[in-house]
């Protein structure tokens, strides 16, 4: 039985990288099943994602060989096994459309994630979590208890071995410290009408202004609020006939679809960071 792996890498661009990677995999018994690459003319960096099968070397042996191979290319690389779904923790507050969508997609096999825990600052969705047999952790958050609450959240994330944390409409701002600890493995979703319509009821504000487009943005979480590297965005056109309720429903649907795509691409290791931007091999 051949084991499947995904290799992602970035390095300064130069001649022969694709040839070298292909040759390395061939020499080590790897059979390439999917490959994509991109060289960024602005940064001079080269990015590549390769999915391959291999039974000649174990995972650890491949990593050891890659460590030596990567040195002359100054590669930043990661090797992933595809044999298990990505362990994921979902955080949510009182809007459950994204949570419900992710749970259904994961249960249906449409997302390669294993939702191992749900964390919320409210109790609203403990029954939904139970229906999917996912542990539900209620951790209230106030200004006075924020540090203790985040410590409990991080303890759950680490104890579950979570590779991904999804803020599925979790309406609390994470501290800079927690953002740094979750760097590169936490995804947030929000409507894309920021900064025009901040605060509560953004769709009411949008309706009042007569907007023609509403949308959503999924991005990695950073200490700079809502300014992390963007993974996916989408929009839906609206017009004067749409009520606030129509806008809200369409907005929630767009948020769910955008977040699901971002989670899918991340869990399939298709997203590579390029400074404050991303390279995505769809």
């Amino acid at each position: 039985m051949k084991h499947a792996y995904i290799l992602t890498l970035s390095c300064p661009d130069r001649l022969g990288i694709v040839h070298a990677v292909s040759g390395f995999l061939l020499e080590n018994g790897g059979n390439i099943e999917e490959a994509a690459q991109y060289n960024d003319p602005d940064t001079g960096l080269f990015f590549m994602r390769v999915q391959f099968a291999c039974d000649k070397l174990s995972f650890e042996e491949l990593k050891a060989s890659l460590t030596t191979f990567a040195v002359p290319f100054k590669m930043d690389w990661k090797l992933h096994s595809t044999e298990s779904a990505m362990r994921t923790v979902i955080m949510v507050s009182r809007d459950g459309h994204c949570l419900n969508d992710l749970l259904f997609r994961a249960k249906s096999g449409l997302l390669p994630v294993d939702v191992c825990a749900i964390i919320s600052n409210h109790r609203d969705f403990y029954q939904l979590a139970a229906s999917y047999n996912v542990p539900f952790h209620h951790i209230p958050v106030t200004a006075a208890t924020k540090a203790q609450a985040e410590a409990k959240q991080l303890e759950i994330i680490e104890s579950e071995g979570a590779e991904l944390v999804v803020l599925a409409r979790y309406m609390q701002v994470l501290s800079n410290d927690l953002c740094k600890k979750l760097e590169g493995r936490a995804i947030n979703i929000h409507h894309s009408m920021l900064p025009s319509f901040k605060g509560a009821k953004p769709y009411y504000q949008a309706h009042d202004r007569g907007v023609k487009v509403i949308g959503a943005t999924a991005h990695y979480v950073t200490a700079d609020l809502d300014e992390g590297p963007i993974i996916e965005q989408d929009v839906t056109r609206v017009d004067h006939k749409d009520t606030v309720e129509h806008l809200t429903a369409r907005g929630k649907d767009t948020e769910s679809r955008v977040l699901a795509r971002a989670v899918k691409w991340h869990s399939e290791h298709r997203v590579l960071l390029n400074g404050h931007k991303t390279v995505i091999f769809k």
Side-chain angles (χ1 to χ4, degrees), residues 8-254:
T8 57
L9 62 90
S10 63
C11 63
D13 193 19
R14 55 180 270 190
L15 292 174
I17 301 175
V18 174
H19 180 270
V21 172
S22 301
F24 168 84
L25 294 177
L26 177 62
E27 291 173 7
N28 289 280
N31 180 42
I32 296 176
E33 299 174 338
E34 181 182 339
Q37 64 276 333
Y38 169 71
N39 60 305
D40 185 350
D42 295 327
T43 62
L45 293 176
F46 175 87
F47 300 85
M48 190 173 188
R49 177 188 184 274
V50 185
Q51 183 168 326
F52 64 97
C54 181
D55 61 356
K56 183 178 178 180
L57 300 180
S58 68
F59 181 76
E60 293 302 325
E61 289 172 332
L62 276 170
K63 286 180 67 175
S65 296
L66 277 165
T67 299
T68 302
F69 168 77
V71 171
F73 295 94
K74 298 181 180 178
M75 282 183 181
D76 180 12
W77 61 273
K78 292 180 182 178
L79 183 67
H80 313 273
S81 173
T82 64
E83 293 181 5
S84 58
M86 182 173 287
R87 291 184 64 79
T88 302
V89 168
I90 300 177
M91 299 177 67
V92 65
S93 289
R94 280 187 156 157
D95 284 329
H97 51 286
C98 289
L99 170 66
N100 190 54
D101 183 74
L102 291 174
L103 289 172
F104 176 79
R105 290 176 188 266
K107 183 72 171 180
S108 303
L110 299 174
L111 286 177
V113 297
D114 173 15
V115 181
C116 50
I118 295 170
I119 298 173
S120 180
N121 54 327
H122 298 282
R123 297 184 183 274
D124 298 50
F125 300 114
Y126 76 93
Q127 289 181 319
L128 177 63
S131 71
Y132 282 94
N133 198 30
V134 177
F136 182 87
H137 303 271
H138 175 226
I139 304 178
V141 181
T142 66
T145 64
K146 187 178 182 67
Q148 296 93 321
E150 288 195 341
K152 291 180 181 178
Q153 293 166 355
L154 186 62
E155 181 182 353
I156 293 168
I157 292 167
E158 299 299 346
S159 66
E160 292 290 351
E163 300 174 76
L164 173 63
V165 177
V166 182
L167 276 59
R169 299 296 290 165
Y170 180 68
M171 306 307 291
Q172 291 286 328
V173 177
L174 302 187
S175 68
N176 290 353
D177 182 58
L178 186 56
C179 287
K180 290 177 181 177
K181 289 177 180 176
L182 298 179
E183 186 176 5
R185 58 172 174 145
I187 297 175
N188 189 28
I189 183 71
H190 60 73
H191 62 82
S192 60
M193 294 179 288
L194 293 171
S196 298
F197 306 126
K198 297 179 181 179
K201 297 186 176 181
Y203 291 107
Y204 283 78
Q205 299 177 56
H207 181 264
D208 184 62
R209 286 290 303 275
V211 301
K212 306 306 178 189
V213 174
I214 56 175
T217 296
H219 62 88
Y220 285 114
V221 174
T222 64
D224 296 319
L225 183 62
D226 294 329
E227 293 186 13
I230 294 171
I231 306 171
E232 174 63 337
Q233 293 178 298
D234 204 353
V235 296
T236 300
R237 296 201 64 84
V238 296
D239 61 30
H240 62 278
K241 299 188 299 296
D242 289 300
T243 64
V244 171
E245 291 73 22
H246 290 153
L247 262 65
T248 303
R250 293 188 184 187
K252 288 183 175 181
D253 181 62
T254 304

